[in-house]
Amino acid sequence: MHGSPLTGWLLVVLCAAVGAYCLRRTACAPPGRRRAAGQDALMGIGMAAMAVPGSALAPRPWTTAVFVVVFVLAAVRAVFPLRHAGTHPHHVVGALAMVYMALAMQAAGPHGGHTGAGLPLVTGGLLAYFLVYSLRSGVRLVATGAGTAVAGGGEGGRGELVAGCRVAMGIGMFAMLLGM
């Protein structure tokens, strides 16, 4: 992750906390929501791993390959729900953004950070997407109070927390892309 180590570690903590909460949510979520909770958990944990400053996860061919395989499979799984109706377009975009960032990090090399990596048009499009997603979801979360419009309801009092986690991950993704 390019930028100050403090920013990187703050992103790690935020994304790891969100990922851990969503992983815990998979165990107690109703069957219809378990899949989305798992996708959120994978995204949070993956973002945390990618944001670690100067770690053993620095761009190396094996780490890039792991990120690419895991998140391409996550995107395919989000597009083709096996037993559930509907797709999760946000999960597809998020997973493909993770693939894009992993490849850009590899192209920049171990000492180059993210600066100058990636295609400006793709990076700009993803920045715009995550900015609009985060702002729209955040405004809806504040406006609804109960979080039902953002989280889809059905999770009792946890709807606001789930929606807040998704907003936090959107902001985190925006910050990571901004560092490219």
Side-chain angles (χ1 to χ4, degrees), residues 15-179:
C15 294
V18 168
Y21 171 75
C22 293
L23 191 59
R24 184 184 160 278
R25 217 176 83 223
T26 60
C28 59
R33 305 242 184 260
R34 198 167 289 148
R35 178 189 194 99
Q39 290 170 330
D40 289 340
L42 177 64
M43 186 63 65
I45 293 166
M47 287 172 61
M50 192 176 280
V52 172
S55 73
L57 298 174
R60 292 193 172 95
W62 71 269
T63 57
T64 301
V66 168
F67 276 112
V68 168
V69 169
V70 166
F71 285 101
V72 164
L73 290 174
V76 168
R77 182 150 165 82
V79 170
F80 299 108
L82 300 177
R83 296 180 310 196
H84 305 287
T87 61
H88 299 281
H90 176 69
H91 288 139
V92 175
V93 173
L96 293 177
M98 291 292 286
V99 170
Y100 172 71
M101 285 192 297
L103 293 172
M105 285 172 60
Q106 180 63 39
H111 302 292
H114 286 191
T115 305
L119 304 170
L121 187 60
V122 175
T123 303
L126 289 170
L127 279 167
Y129 172 82
F130 285 104
L131 176 65
V132 170
Y133 174 83
S134 298
L135 288 174
R136 190 181 115 237
S137 298
V139 166
R140 286 173 60 192
L141 176 63
V142 170
T144 62
T148 55
V150 180
E155 294 191 52
R158 289 184 280 201
E160 290 174 333
L161 188 53
V162 171
C165 287
R166 290 182 182 153
V167 170
M169 283 195 296
I171 293 168
M173 187 67 82
F174 180 82
M176 290 173 73
L177 285 161
L178 198 56

